[in-house]
Amino acid sequence: AQSVAQPEDQVNVAEGNPLTVKCTYSVSGNPYLFWYVQYPNRGLQFLLKYITGDNLVKGSYGFEAEFNKSQTSFHLKKPSALVSDSALYFCAVRDRGYSTLTFGKGTMLLVSP
Amino acid sequence: EAQVTQNPRYLITVTGKKLTVTCSQNMNHEYMSWYRQDPGLGLRQIYYSMNVEVTDKGDVPEGYKVSRKEKRNFPLILESPSPNQTSLYFCASSLGRPGTEAFFGQGTRLTVV
């Protein structure tokens, strides 16, 4: 089985400050890991993914994520938050032996001016 | 422009009245899937298809049907909708190879009264 946990329903950060959105996963094998963002009344948009190799992955809009195998985590980070980053963020995992993608429950990021 | 198109975007219907939500992609993707999004539950997969005439159940398939007669189309059918199927539905497609990201439609907000 595969599962994803996003322990925070909401993260609040001031504009210009660094942000972190947490994600932990559980798989039986090696994971593929993804982050998606959802803006109001929109579908999900792909941000970044970890397949293999370098544990630090860079993606769209200045976001990055660090794969930590020992802690089974894949936290999303950005050095300086923008108000326009306010959105719902989803972490997703796919075990290499599975055909499906499992999503976390989502974390609402609110960036205040 | 590469896209996944769902129709309709909004739908209000009555219990028991059969409905179909259409999904079409123009990227020649093999893999297509349907998700429902509910508050506090994140995205849950309903059905997926790895290619034409190949479909399989996801995590919450009860009350839904799908078909994949053409590569580009993957309609979601509710034979007898019930109020607990009120939700936001997303169609997604991807190349299907492990590690490839999914592209999502804009969503269909369904209300069953």
Side-chain angles (χ1 to χ4, degrees):
Chain A
Q2 58 188 28
S3 65
V4 177
Q6 293 182 242
E8 303 151 317
D9 291 335
Q10 184 168 307
V11 170
N12 297 295
V13 64
E15 188 172 34
N17 284 357
L19 69 87
T20 298
V21 182
K22 296 180 180 178
C23 171
T24 59
Y25 66 90
S26 175
V27 296
S28 57
N30 291 313
Y32 297 109
L33 292 155
F34 303 83
W35 276 102
Y36 290 84
V37 60
Q38 184 181 29
Y39 297 102
N41 299 315
R42 303 288 299 275
L44 279 71
Q45 298 177 32
F46 168 75
L47 273 180
L48 51 80
K49 64 182 178 182
Y50 171 80
I51 304 301
T52 187
D54 195 348
N55 290 342
L56 184 63
V57 178
K58 294 187 182 296
S60 306
Y61 312 121
F63 284 94
E64 58 188 28
E66 186 167 12
F67 172 64
N68 187 318
K69 189 172 183 178
S70 63
Q71 297 186 5
T72 62
S73 67
F74 189 57
H75 302 329
L76 182 70
K77 300 181 180 184
K78 188 174 183 181
S80 178
L82 300 172
V83 172
S84 57
D85 292 330
S86 298
L88 185 58
Y89 290 80
F90 289 97
C91 182
V93 67
R94 178 177 174 178
D95 192 321
R96 292 174 193 233
Y98 275 65
S99 302
T100 61
L101 193 61
T102 297
F103 284 83
K105 295 182 179 182
T107 298
M108 179 63 71
L109 173 67
L110 294 177
V111 182
S112 54
Chain B
E1 179 188 355
Q3 59 185 3
V4 178
T5 303
Q6 292 179 231
N7 280 296
R9 291 289 309 278
Y10 303 91
L11 179 59
I12 301 174
T13 190
V14 296
T15 298
K17 185 177 181 180
K18 181 180 179 179
L19 67 91
T20 299
V21 183
T22 63
C23 174
S24 181
Q25 50 93 3
N26 63 359
M27 295 168 279
N28 201 36
H29 285 167
E30 289 87 10
Y31 189 99
M32 298 185 74
S33 58
W34 277 101
Y35 296 86
R36 60 178 288 173
Q37 182 181 10
D38 301 290
L41 297 177
L43 273 79
R44 294 178 292 167
Q45 191 175 56
I46 303 170
Y47 268 95
Y48 65 96
S49 169
M50 300 186 75
N51 216 322
V52 176
E53 303 291 0
V54 180
T55 64
D56 208 346
K57 297 177 181 178
D59 298 319
V60 288
E62 294 77 20
Y64 304 94
K65 286 176 57 177
V66 293
S67 68
R68 188 90 181 273
K69 300 188 187 306
E70 306 166 284
K71 197 172 188 178
R72 64 183 292 123
N73 295 323
F74 190 47
L76 179 69
I77 303 157
L78 285 71
E79 294 271 4
S80 183
S82 62
N84 65 11
Q85 293 178 298
T86 293
S87 187
L88 179 59
Y89 291 86
F90 287 102
C91 179
S93 74
S94 70
L95 284 170
R97 292 194 303 272
T100 55
E101 61 272 23
F103 292 79
F104 283 80
Q106 295 282 67
T108 295
R109 186 165 292 281
L110 172 66
T111 302
V112 184
V113 298

